[in-house]
Amino acid sequence: MKKSITLLFILCLGGLLLAVPFSTSVLYNTSNGLFTTPIDQASDAGQGFLDLDKTFIFGGLANLNQTRVISSTSNSSGTNTLGAVSLGAYFNTNRPWSLFTNLYHDSTSWFTGANSISDSYNTKTVGSNTQEWLSQRVETKYYGSLAKEVDDRAQYLTELNGMVIGGSIRIYNKDNSVIGNNFSEKTTYYYDNAAAGVAPDVKADYTREEKQRRKANDFRMELRAPLFMPGEKVDQTFSAMLGFGSDDNGSGKREVTYSTPVKTPSSLTDVLHDDVKDKTGFFQIAGGYRQDMPSPFMKSESKDFYFGGNLNLTFYSPTYSTLTETQRYNYTLSGTTMNKAKSTYSYASDERKFGLTTTMSISGMVGHRFSYDLGKGMSLKLAPEVGVYFSSYGDEKVKERTTITKTDTNNDGLADTTTTVTREYENTNSALGDRDTNTFLAVDLLPSCAFTYQPETWDVGFTLGTKLNMSMQYSTSKTEESYVRTTTKTETGGVTTTTTSDAYSGTLGLTTHSMDWVTTLTHSLSMNWDINENATLYADLTGTIGSGIFDFGRLTVQAVISLP
């Protein structure tokens, strides 16, 4: 059975993807992954999952993760706004299993829209008095959403024939819509039907109704499946990921309609279409592999030497079109009858077709863990690591653009001339300029170490972690000369004329190179308190002290509790 499952995962992978814990503990993050707690073991498809021999529940005063919320944008400030709910548990049954959830809803941005009524008045002299009468009423309703941002994740792991398998799902949606662009509005115009000097007799004349929806949101869904296969000499970890979604930049529709006036002759324009479709859909597939084994450089049974990598492919293609269509009407009063006649008509559309764009990234790493017991409650772990990352990506590719314009030259409500312009592009980006293709290569040296201190008689311990990142980054950007072939087709009175032209951007192929050396050093500090043999608290002390004052608003505390 192990062989068949391995073959299934290899077929699904098509590449390499490193497995990482679904939820990480304060200790894990402080020590750069060198020391772990049951939180990390229970949420990671690895040997630690199989080593647990108790049932655990996990929780935190801020969040199960070291960060307070899942959303990176909402976690950028120092305020301790709790928008995330994180729960986790490991059940030591005949077939051990764990369940973790991270649920985030941006509670600071909930809104459901609003309603408003605005009145305007005119004045009239009646005898020696001045009286007001309602001349216009605007009724507006805005449309909103229940949550500005949602980021929900869940993972399930279990043991099967000595292996660890499972799956996770993530659903993310961020609403970038502007509430002022999503509304319906009705304006009623009134007239005074009474003679001069007589008290106003207010009646409805005509109405204007406008409806507009402009939705802008980012949506994505990710499905992940890990598989851990322990072995006598080698442990192997496979993982596969499938993702899809779309980024909407403000697609929507707008319409404006007028009713026929009762009293006031007017020229009013109906907006039949004011439509925009501007979104990008994408599909993502990734796979990865990691191997842990005894060191090939020294005699040891511990599987401290590791290597692996991942492959990520993303395919995306935008959709863009606009359509504007209006019809103007002239209203004239003949006695008590209001006559309606078509006037100026206009039509304009713009549609772009895009090619499929592919981005690719490949990464790999190799490292070695070293562990030292220094005695008197002191432990030291080191992990020198080398990583390589390569990516290739380019601008979106416009293949064709078609614009259609209909002109009403004599204002009779009919299109007299239709002009269709078709442009065929090569090496052209979405801004209709020269298209760039880019590559990026980084080679990283990532030594990390962690030191723990907790004497045997102490209930409290401390962990200090340090990580150095020395990175050489090399990038290239190649600009390709864009080309367009334009075909213009004009139809007037049944006569069609066609013209064709070719044009190059005039920019010769240009490749730029750049190289950067980046070095960063990070330090982390945490403490743990063993309340008893079944409960331990972990506190992240990194960044909680500023200007000599302990900032409790930045304090993260986690609890690991085993059930007897």
mmCIF file of all heavy atoms in Angstrom, residues 197-243:
data_model
loop_
_atom_site.group_PDB
_atom_site.id
_atom_site.type_symbol
_atom_site.label_atom_id
_atom_site.label_comp_id
_atom_site.label_asym_id
_atom_site.label_seq_id
_atom_site.Cartn_x
_atom_site.Cartn_y
_atom_site.Cartn_z
ATOM 1 N N GLY A 197 -49.349 82.956 -6.814
ATOM 2 C CA GLY A 197 -50.056 83.551 -5.690
ATOM 3 C C GLY A 197 -50.976 82.602 -4.963
ATOM 4 O O GLY A 197 -51.575 82.969 -3.948
ATOM 5 N N VAL A 198 -51.080 81.366 -5.441
ATOM 6 C CA VAL A 198 -51.929 80.352 -4.814
ATOM 7 C C VAL A 198 -51.035 79.337 -4.101
ATOM 8 O O VAL A 198 -49.930 79.043 -4.553
ATOM 9 C CB VAL A 198 -52.805 79.646 -5.870
ATOM 10 C CG1 VAL A 198 -53.682 78.575 -5.231
ATOM 11 C CG2 VAL A 198 -53.657 80.665 -6.609
ATOM 12 N N ALA A 199 -51.530 78.836 -3.003
ATOM 13 C CA ALA A 199 -50.753 77.860 -2.231
ATOM 14 C C ALA A 199 -50.276 76.720 -3.126
ATOM 15 O O ALA A 199 -51.017 76.262 -4.015
ATOM 16 C CB ALA A 199 -51.597 77.305 -1.086
ATOM 17 N N PRO A 200 -49.040 76.260 -2.954
ATOM 18 C CA PRO A 200 -48.469 75.247 -3.837
ATOM 19 C C PRO A 200 -49.299 73.964 -3.866
ATOM 20 O O PRO A 200 -49.813 73.499 -2.842
ATOM 21 C CB PRO A 200 -47.087 74.982 -3.230
ATOM 22 C CG PRO A 200 -46.765 76.216 -2.459
ATOM 23 C CD PRO A 200 -48.071 76.710 -1.922
ATOM 24 N N ASP A 201 -49.416 73.410 -5.075
ATOM 25 C CA ASP A 201 -50.048 72.103 -5.287
ATOM 26 C C ASP A 201 -48.973 71.208 -5.900
ATOM 27 O O ASP A 201 -48.770 71.182 -7.120
ATOM 28 C CB ASP A 201 -51.248 72.251 -6.220
ATOM 29 C CG ASP A 201 -51.941 70.905 -6.486
ATOM 30 O OD1 ASP A 201 -51.683 69.953 -5.703
ATOM 31 O OD2 ASP A 201 -52.699 70.816 -7.466
ATOM 32 N N VAL A 202 -48.244 70.478 -5.071
ATOM 33 C CA VAL A 202 -47.054 69.754 -5.490
ATOM 34 C C VAL A 202 -47.432 68.399 -6.087
ATOM 35 O O VAL A 202 -48.173 67.629 -5.470
ATOM 36 C CB VAL A 202 -46.084 69.561 -4.304
ATOM 37 C CG1 VAL A 202 -44.850 68.798 -4.749
ATOM 38 C CG2 VAL A 202 -45.699 70.903 -3.717
ATOM 39 N N LYS A 203 -46.919 68.144 -7.300
ATOM 40 C CA LYS A 203 -47.149 66.877 -7.973
ATOM 41 C C LYS A 203 -45.837 66.368 -8.558
ATOM 42 O O LYS A 203 -44.940 67.151 -8.890
ATOM 43 C CB LYS A 203 -48.191 67.023 -9.087
ATOM 44 C CG LYS A 203 -49.575 67.391 -8.581
ATOM 45 C CD LYS A 203 -50.567 67.432 -9.710
ATOM 46 C CE LYS A 203 -51.954 67.787 -9.208
ATOM 47 N NZ LYS A 203 -52.482 66.750 -8.273
ATOM 48 N N ALA A 204 -45.730 65.058 -8.708
ATOM 49 C CA ALA A 204 -44.529 64.450 -9.283
ATOM 50 C C ALA A 204 -44.472 64.716 -10.774
ATOM 51 O O ALA A 204 -45.472 64.568 -11.487
ATOM 52 C CB ALA A 204 -44.508 62.960 -9.010
ATOM 53 N N ASP A 205 -43.272 65.102 -11.250
ATOM 54 C CA ASP A 205 -43.077 65.380 -12.667
ATOM 55 C C ASP A 205 -42.446 64.175 -13.373
ATOM 56 O O ASP A 205 -43.054 63.566 -14.244
ATOM 57 C CB ASP A 205 -42.211 66.623 -12.823
ATOM 58 C CG ASP A 205 -42.215 67.157 -14.246
ATOM 59 O OD1 ASP A 205 -42.880 66.549 -15.100
ATOM 60 O OD2 ASP A 205 -41.566 68.183 -14.499
ATOM 61 N N TYR A 206 -41.222 63.810 -13.012
ATOM 62 C CA TYR A 206 -40.568 62.641 -13.583
ATOM 63 C C TYR A 206 -39.511 62.140 -12.602
ATOM 64 O O TYR A 206 -39.179 62.823 -11.617
ATOM 65 C CB TYR A 206 -39.935 62.946 -14.952
ATOM 66 C CG TYR A 206 -38.829 63.965 -14.931
ATOM 67 C CD1 TYR A 206 -37.487 63.578 -14.834
ATOM 68 C CD2 TYR A 206 -39.095 65.333 -15.007
ATOM 69 C CE1 TYR A 206 -36.459 64.499 -14.820
ATOM 70 C CE2 TYR A 206 -38.075 66.275 -14.994
ATOM 71 C CZ TYR A 206 -36.765 65.849 -14.896
ATOM 72 O OH TYR A 206 -35.755 66.767 -14.879
ATOM 73 N N THR A 207 -38.997 60.949 -12.875
ATOM 74 C CA THR A 207 -38.001 60.340 -11.988
ATOM 75 C C THR A 207 -36.738 59.972 -12.775
ATOM 76 O O THR A 207 -36.783 59.749 -13.992
ATOM 77 C CB THR A 207 -38.541 59.061 -11.324
ATOM 78 O OG1 THR A 207 -38.869 58.102 -12.341
ATOM 79 C CG2 THR A 207 -39.772 59.370 -10.485
ATOM 80 N N ARG A 208 -35.647 59.941 -12.050
ATOM 81 C CA ARG A 208 -34.363 59.476 -12.566
ATOM 82 C C ARG A 208 -33.886 58.342 -11.657
ATOM 83 O O ARG A 208 -33.734 58.534 -10.444
ATOM 84 C CB ARG A 208 -33.326 60.598 -12.576
ATOM 85 C CG ARG A 208 -31.926 60.163 -13.020
ATOM 86 C CD ARG A 208 -30.921 61.287 -12.795
ATOM 87 N NE ARG A 208 -29.590 60.975 -13.309
ATOM 88 C CZ ARG A 208 -28.657 60.299 -12.642
ATOM 89 N NH1 ARG A 208 -28.927 59.851 -11.400
ATOM 90 N NH2 ARG A 208 -27.479 60.069 -13.181
ATOM 91 N N GLU A 209 -33.651 57.163 -12.231
ATOM 92 C CA GLU A 209 -33.192 56.018 -11.449
ATOM 93 C C GLU A 209 -31.809 55.586 -11.939
ATOM 94 O O GLU A 209 -31.609 55.365 -13.128
ATOM 95 C CB GLU A 209 -34.177 54.854 -11.556
ATOM 96 C CG GLU A 209 -35.528 55.141 -10.911
ATOM 97 C CD GLU A 209 -36.391 53.901 -10.808
ATOM 98 O OE1 GLU A 209 -35.868 52.862 -10.357
ATOM 99 O OE2 GLU A 209 -37.569 53.972 -11.187
ATOM 100 N N GLU A 210 -30.878 55.490 -10.994
ATOM 101 C CA GLU A 210 -29.517 55.069 -11.310
ATOM 102 C C GLU A 210 -29.144 53.873 -10.447
ATOM 103 O O GLU A 210 -29.335 53.886 -9.230
ATOM 104 C CB GLU A 210 -28.516 56.204 -11.072
ATOM 105 C CG GLU A 210 -27.076 55.824 -11.374
ATOM 106 C CD GLU A 210 -26.104 56.975 -11.194
ATOM 107 O OE1 GLU A 210 -26.540 58.083 -10.818
ATOM 108 O OE2 GLU A 210 -24.896 56.771 -11.427
ATOM 109 N N LYS A 211 -28.601 52.840 -11.112
ATOM 110 C CA LYS A 211 -28.129 51.645 -10.410
ATOM 111 C C LYS A 211 -26.688 51.382 -10.825
ATOM 112 O O LYS A 211 -26.372 51.352 -12.013
ATOM 113 C CB LYS A 211 -28.995 50.436 -10.758
ATOM 114 C CG LYS A 211 -30.447 50.565 -10.317
ATOM 115 C CD LYS A 211 -31.257 49.340 -10.703
ATOM 116 C CE LYS A 211 -32.704 49.475 -10.266
ATOM 117 N NZ LYS A 211 -33.515 48.283 -10.648
ATOM 118 N N GLN A 212 -25.824 51.200 -9.834
ATOM 119 C CA GLN A 212 -24.410 50.967 -10.117
ATOM 120 C C GLN A 212 -23.845 49.937 -9.160
ATOM 121 O O GLN A 212 -24.042 50.021 -7.950
ATOM 122 C CB GLN A 212 -23.603 52.266 -10.007
ATOM 123 C CG GLN A 212 -22.106 52.076 -10.229
ATOM 124 C CD GLN A 212 -21.345 53.381 -10.333
ATOM 125 O OE1 GLN A 212 -21.485 54.105 -11.305
ATOM 126 N NE2 GLN A 212 -20.560 53.680 -9.312
ATOM 127 N N ARG A 213 -23.145 48.959 -9.733
ATOM 128 C CA ARG A 213 -22.413 47.981 -8.928
ATOM 129 C C ARG A 213 -21.011 47.866 -9.495
ATOM 130 O O ARG A 213 -20.816 47.603 -10.686
ATOM 131 C CB ARG A 213 -23.096 46.605 -8.957
ATOM 132 C CG ARG A 213 -24.497 46.577 -8.375
ATOM 133 C CD ARG A 213 -24.559 47.038 -6.937
ATOM 134 N NE ARG A 213 -23.847 46.199 -6.016
ATOM 135 C CZ ARG A 213 -24.387 45.200 -5.325
ATOM 136 N NH1 ARG A 213 -25.666 44.902 -5.485
ATOM 137 N NH2 ARG A 213 -23.663 44.498 -4.480
ATOM 138 N N ARG A 214 -20.027 48.124 -8.662
ATOM 139 C CA ARG A 214 -18.624 48.006 -9.036
ATOM 140 C C ARG A 214 -17.945 47.158 -7.967
ATOM 141 O O ARG A 214 -17.561 47.653 -6.913
ATOM 142 C CB ARG A 214 -17.959 49.386 -9.127
ATOM 143 C CG ARG A 214 -18.495 50.262 -10.254
ATOM 144 C CD ARG A 214 -17.822 49.933 -11.575
ATOM 145 N NE ARG A 214 -18.160 50.906 -12.604
ATOM 146 C CZ ARG A 214 -19.075 50.715 -13.543
ATOM 147 N NH1 ARG A 214 -19.752 49.571 -13.571
ATOM 148 N NH2 ARG A 214 -19.316 51.632 -14.455
ATOM 149 N N LYS A 215 -17.823 45.864 -8.238
ATOM 150 C CA LYS A 215 -17.226 44.953 -7.273
ATOM 151 C C LYS A 215 -15.747 44.747 -7.575
ATOM 152 O O LYS A 215 -15.363 44.479 -8.711
ATOM 153 C CB LYS A 215 -17.940 43.598 -7.300
ATOM 154 C CG LYS A 215 -19.411 43.680 -6.915
ATOM 155 C CD LYS A 215 -19.591 44.128 -5.477
ATOM 156 C CE LYS A 215 -19.152 43.070 -4.499
ATOM 157 N NZ LYS A 215 -19.349 43.472 -3.106
ATOM 158 N N ALA A 216 -14.943 44.902 -6.545
ATOM 159 C CA ALA A 216 -13.498 44.674 -6.659
ATOM 160 C C ALA A 216 -13.077 43.788 -5.490
ATOM 161 O O ALA A 216 -13.144 44.208 -4.331
ATOM 162 C CB ALA A 216 -12.739 45.996 -6.631
ATOM 163 N N ASN A 217 -12.689 42.572 -5.796
ATOM 164 C CA ASN A 217 -12.282 41.684 -4.712
ATOM 165 C C ASN A 217 -11.271 40.662 -5.210
ATOM 166 O O ASN A 217 -11.213 40.345 -6.402
ATOM 167 C CB ASN A 217 -13.495 40.968 -4.106
ATOM 168 C CG ASN A 217 -14.110 39.966 -5.067
ATOM 169 O OD1 ASN A 217 -14.786 40.348 -6.017
ATOM 170 N ND2 ASN A 217 -13.883 38.681 -4.833
ATOM 171 N N ASP A 218 -10.474 40.168 -4.272
ATOM 172 C CA ASP A 218 -9.492 39.121 -4.542
ATOM 173 C C ASP A 218 -9.983 37.842 -3.878
ATOM 174 O O ASP A 218 -10.264 37.826 -2.672
ATOM 175 C CB ASP A 218 -8.119 39.495 -3.990
ATOM 176 C CG ASP A 218 -7.597 40.802 -4.580
ATOM 177 O OD1 ASP A 218 -7.991 41.127 -5.711
ATOM 178 O OD2 ASP A 218 -6.820 41.493 -3.897
ATOM 179 N N PHE A 219 -10.055 36.769 -4.656
ATOM 180 C CA PHE A 219 -10.521 35.490 -4.128
ATOM 181 C C PHE A 219 -9.538 34.394 -4.517
ATOM 182 O O PHE A 219 -9.027 34.382 -5.635
ATOM 183 C CB PHE A 219 -11.902 35.135 -4.674
ATOM 184 C CG PHE A 219 -12.316 33.716 -4.358
ATOM 185 C CD1 PHE A 219 -12.823 33.403 -3.111
ATOM 186 C CD2 PHE A 219 -12.168 32.709 -5.302
ATOM 187 C CE1 PHE A 219 -13.187 32.099 -2.810
ATOM 188 C CE2 PHE A 219 -12.527 31.409 -5.011
ATOM 189 C CZ PHE A 219 -13.042 31.103 -3.757
ATOM 190 N N ARG A 220 -9.287 33.507 -3.581
ATOM 191 C CA ARG A 220 -8.453 32.346 -3.894
ATOM 192 C C ARG A 220 -8.787 31.182 -2.966
ATOM 193 O O ARG A 220 -9.239 31.374 -1.828
ATOM 194 C CB ARG A 220 -6.969 32.691 -3.803
ATOM 195 C CG ARG A 220 -6.478 33.163 -2.453
ATOM 196 C CD ARG A 220 -5.241 34.017 -2.641
ATOM 197 N NE ARG A 220 -5.560 35.250 -3.350
ATOM 198 C CZ ARG A 220 -4.840 35.728 -4.363
ATOM 199 N NH1 ARG A 220 -3.795 35.076 -4.801
ATOM 200 N NH2 ARG A 220 -5.186 36.849 -4.946
ATOM 201 N N MET A 221 -8.567 29.998 -3.489
ATOM 202 C CA MET A 221 -8.751 28.765 -2.714
ATOM 203 C C MET A 221 -7.538 27.885 -2.929
ATOM 204 O O MET A 221 -7.044 27.756 -4.052
ATOM 205 C CB MET A 221 -10.022 28.029 -3.127
ATOM 206 C CG MET A 221 -10.226 26.696 -2.403
ATOM 207 S SD MET A 221 -11.736 25.821 -2.906
ATOM 208 C CE MET A 221 -12.962 26.855 -2.133
ATOM 209 N N GLU A 222 -7.060 27.292 -1.847
ATOM 210 C CA GLU A 222 -5.898 26.417 -1.921
ATOM 211 C C GLU A 222 -6.225 25.078 -1.263
ATOM 212 O O GLU A 222 -6.827 25.032 -0.187
ATOM 213 C CB GLU A 222 -4.698 27.051 -1.214
ATOM 214 C CG GLU A 222 -4.221 28.353 -1.831
ATOM 215 C CD GLU A 222 -3.110 29.003 -1.029
ATOM 216 O OE1 GLU A 222 -2.710 28.403 0.001
ATOM 217 O OE2 GLU A 222 -2.654 30.093 -1.404
ATOM 218 N N LEU A 223 -5.812 24.009 -1.901
ATOM 219 C CA LEU A 223 -5.951 22.660 -1.371
ATOM 220 C C LEU A 223 -4.559 22.046 -1.287
ATOM 221 O O LEU A 223 -3.807 22.062 -2.271
ATOM 222 C CB LEU A 223 -6.847 21.810 -2.269
ATOM 223 C CG LEU A 223 -8.265 22.346 -2.518
ATOM 224 C CD1 LEU A 223 -8.965 21.488 -3.565
ATOM 225 C CD2 LEU A 223 -9.066 22.380 -1.225
ATOM 226 N N ARG A 224 -4.208 21.510 -0.126
ATOM 227 C CA ARG A 224 -2.892 20.910 0.081
ATOM 228 C C ARG A 224 -3.035 19.491 0.621
ATOM 229 O O ARG A 224 -3.967 19.208 1.390
ATOM 230 C CB ARG A 224 -2.054 21.744 1.048
ATOM 231 C CG ARG A 224 -1.734 23.148 0.540
ATOM 232 C CD ARG A 224 -0.956 23.962 1.567
ATOM 233 N NE ARG A 224 -0.697 25.301 1.081
ATOM 234 C CZ ARG A 224 0.400 25.674 0.423
ATOM 235 N NH1 ARG A 224 1.335 24.770 0.170
ATOM 236 N NH2 ARG A 224 0.557 26.914 0.029
ATOM 237 N N ALA A 225 -2.107 18.637 0.224
ATOM 238 C CA ALA A 225 -2.124 17.249 0.684
ATOM 239 C C ALA A 225 -0.700 16.811 0.999
ATOM 240 O O ALA A 225 0.121 16.675 0.080
ATOM 241 C CB ALA A 225 -2.732 16.342 -0.381
ATOM 242 N N PRO A 226 -0.358 16.595 2.279
ATOM 243 C CA PRO A 226 0.986 16.110 2.642
ATOM 244 C C PRO A 226 1.003 14.590 2.822
ATOM 245 O O PRO A 226 -0.020 13.965 3.097
ATOM 246 C CB PRO A 226 1.242 16.819 3.974
ATOM 247 C CG PRO A 226 -0.125 16.913 4.598
ATOM 248 C CD PRO A 226 -1.112 17.046 3.450
ATOM 249 N N LEU A 227 2.164 14.031 2.666
ATOM 250 C CA LEU A 227 2.377 12.603 2.919
ATOM 251 C C LEU A 227 3.770 12.430 3.506
ATOM 252 O O LEU A 227 4.759 12.839 2.896
ATOM 253 C CB LEU A 227 2.250 11.800 1.620
ATOM 254 C CG LEU A 227 2.708 10.335 1.701
ATOM 255 C CD1 LEU A 227 1.811 9.541 2.638
ATOM 256 C CD2 LEU A 227 2.741 9.707 0.312
ATOM 257 N N PHE A 228 3.844 11.824 4.692
ATOM 258 C CA PHE A 228 5.138 11.557 5.348
ATOM 259 C C PHE A 228 5.342 10.055 5.426
ATOM 260 O O PHE A 228 4.485 9.318 5.918
ATOM 261 C CB PHE A 228 5.169 12.164 6.744
ATOM 262 C CG PHE A 228 6.387 11.773 7.539
ATOM 263 C CD1 PHE A 228 7.637 12.285 7.218
ATOM 264 C CD2 PHE A 228 6.280 10.878 8.595
ATOM 265 C CE1 PHE A 228 8.768 11.922 7.937
ATOM 266 C CE2 PHE A 228 7.393 10.510 9.327
ATOM 267 C CZ PHE A 228 8.649 11.029 8.996
ATOM 268 N N MET A 229 6.496 9.604 4.941
ATOM 269 C CA MET A 229 6.834 8.174 4.932
ATOM 270 C C MET A 229 8.135 7.970 5.693
ATOM 271 O O MET A 229 9.215 8.289 5.196
ATOM 272 C CB MET A 229 6.985 7.669 3.494
ATOM 273 C CG MET A 229 5.731 7.767 2.659
ATOM 274 S SD MET A 229 5.988 7.134 0.983
ATOM 275 C CE MET A 229 6.529 5.468 1.331
ATOM 276 N N PRO A 230 8.053 7.469 6.926
ATOM 277 C CA PRO A 230 9.280 7.210 7.692
ATOM 278 C C PRO A 230 9.972 5.948 7.192
ATOM 279 O O PRO A 230 9.330 5.029 6.661
ATOM 280 C CB PRO A 230 8.762 7.043 9.121
ATOM 281 C CG PRO A 230 7.369 6.519 8.947
ATOM 282 C CD PRO A 230 6.839 7.136 7.683
ATOM 283 N N GLY A 231 11.262 5.934 7.341
ATOM 284 C CA GLY A 231 12.023 4.752 6.957
ATOM 285 C C GLY A 231 13.133 4.492 7.956
ATOM 286 O O GLY A 231 13.452 5.334 8.802
ATOM 287 N N GLU A 232 13.741 3.339 7.847
ATOM 288 C CA GLU A 232 14.800 2.983 8.783
ATOM 289 C C GLU A 232 16.008 3.897 8.621
ATOM 290 O O GLU A 232 16.616 4.312 9.598
ATOM 291 C CB GLU A 232 15.209 1.520 8.555
ATOM 292 C CG GLU A 232 16.281 1.033 9.529
ATOM 293 C CD GLU A 232 16.632 -0.415 9.311
ATOM 294 O OE1 GLU A 232 15.929 -1.087 8.508
ATOM 295 O OE2 GLU A 232 17.609 -0.896 9.922
ATOM 296 N N LYS A 233 16.333 4.252 7.379
ATOM 297 C CA LYS A 233 17.477 5.113 7.124
ATOM 298 C C LYS A 233 17.081 6.495 6.619
ATOM 299 O O LYS A 233 17.799 7.467 6.857
ATOM 300 C CB LYS A 233 18.400 4.455 6.088
ATOM 301 C CG LYS A 233 19.093 3.196 6.578
ATOM 302 C CD LYS A 233 20.092 3.512 7.698
ATOM 303 C CE LYS A 233 20.868 2.281 8.118
ATOM 304 N NZ LYS A 233 21.840 2.587 9.203
ATOM 305 N N VAL A 234 15.951 6.565 5.922
ATOM 306 C CA VAL A 234 15.556 7.811 5.261
ATOM 307 C C VAL A 234 14.088 8.092 5.528
ATOM 308 O O VAL A 234 13.238 7.193 5.417
ATOM 309 C CB VAL A 234 15.811 7.734 3.733
ATOM 310 C CG1 VAL A 234 15.261 8.969 3.041
ATOM 311 C CG2 VAL A 234 17.298 7.582 3.455
ATOM 312 N N ASP A 235 13.779 9.328 5.914
ATOM 313 C CA ASP A 235 12.395 9.801 6.008
ATOM 314 C C ASP A 235 12.099 10.678 4.791
ATOM 315 O O ASP A 235 12.917 11.529 4.415
ATOM 316 C CB ASP A 235 12.167 10.634 7.277
ATOM 317 C CG ASP A 235 12.262 9.785 8.539
ATOM 318 O OD1 ASP A 235 12.187 8.555 8.423
ATOM 319 O OD2 ASP A 235 12.432 10.370 9.627
ATOM 320 N N GLN A 236 10.925 10.461 4.186
ATOM 321 C CA GLN A 236 10.553 11.224 3.005
ATOM 322 C C GLN A 236 9.231 11.951 3.247
ATOM 323 O O GLN A 236 8.303 11.379 3.838
ATOM 324 C CB GLN A 236 10.413 10.317 1.786
ATOM 325 C CG GLN A 236 11.691 9.565 1.430
ATOM 326 C CD GLN A 236 11.499 8.691 0.214
ATOM 327 O OE1 GLN A 236 11.592 9.151 -0.922
ATOM 328 N NE2 GLN A 236 11.216 7.421 0.440
ATOM 329 N N THR A 237 9.175 13.185 2.774
ATOM 330 C CA THR A 237 7.964 13.986 2.885
ATOM 331 C C THR A 237 7.580 14.502 1.508
ATOM 332 O O THR A 237 8.396 15.138 0.825
ATOM 333 C CB THR A 237 8.156 15.182 3.831
ATOM 334 O OG1 THR A 237 8.584 14.715 5.107
ATOM 335 C CG2 THR A 237 6.858 15.950 3.998
ATOM 336 N N PHE A 238 6.354 14.206 1.088
ATOM 337 C CA PHE A 238 5.811 14.687 -0.168
ATOM 338 C C PHE A 238 4.683 15.678 0.131
ATOM 339 O O PHE A 238 4.006 15.573 1.155
ATOM 340 C CB PHE A 238 5.243 13.541 -1.013
ATOM 341 C CG PHE A 238 6.230 12.458 -1.335
ATOM 342 C CD1 PHE A 238 6.437 11.400 -0.451
ATOM 343 C CD2 PHE A 238 6.943 12.481 -2.519
ATOM 344 C CE1 PHE A 238 7.326 10.386 -0.752
ATOM 345 C CE2 PHE A 238 7.848 11.471 -2.821
ATOM 346 C CZ PHE A 238 8.044 10.424 -1.937
ATOM 347 N N SER A 239 4.480 16.577 -0.773
ATOM 348 C CA SER A 239 3.359 17.495 -0.617
ATOM 349 C C SER A 239 2.914 18.000 -1.978
ATOM 350 O O SER A 239 3.742 18.186 -2.884
ATOM 351 C CB SER A 239 3.727 18.681 0.278
ATOM 352 O OG SER A 239 2.599 19.487 0.519
ATOM 353 N N ALA A 240 1.624 18.193 -2.125
ATOM 354 C CA ALA A 240 1.060 18.720 -3.365
ATOM 355 C C ALA A 240 0.089 19.843 -3.030
ATOM 356 O O ALA A 240 -0.572 19.825 -1.988
ATOM 357 C CB ALA A 240 0.353 17.619 -4.153
ATOM 358 N N MET A 241 0.022 20.820 -3.924
ATOM 359 C CA MET A 241 -0.885 21.954 -3.720
ATOM 360 C C MET A 241 -1.569 22.318 -5.023
ATOM 361 O O MET A 241 -0.953 22.325 -6.089
ATOM 362 C CB MET A 241 -0.115 23.162 -3.179
ATOM 363 C CG MET A 241 -1.008 24.320 -2.716
ATOM 364 S SD MET A 241 -1.486 25.448 -4.020
ATOM 365 C CE MET A 241 0.012 26.403 -4.198
ATOM 366 N N LEU A 242 -2.857 22.610 -4.925
ATOM 367 C CA LEU A 242 -3.653 23.068 -6.053
ATOM 368 C C LEU A 242 -4.368 24.343 -5.634
ATOM 369 O O LEU A 242 -5.019 24.376 -4.582
ATOM 370 C CB LEU A 242 -4.670 21.997 -6.457
ATOM 371 C CG LEU A 242 -5.582 22.320 -7.647
ATOM 372 C CD1 LEU A 242 -4.762 22.388 -8.922
ATOM 373 C CD2 LEU A 242 -6.674 21.258 -7.769
ATOM 374 N N GLY A 243 -4.231 25.397 -6.424
ATOM 375 C CA GLY A 243 -4.861 26.664 -6.085
ATOM 376 C C GLY A 243 -5.503 27.298 -7.294
ATOM 377 O O GLY A 243 -5.091 27.084 -8.435
#
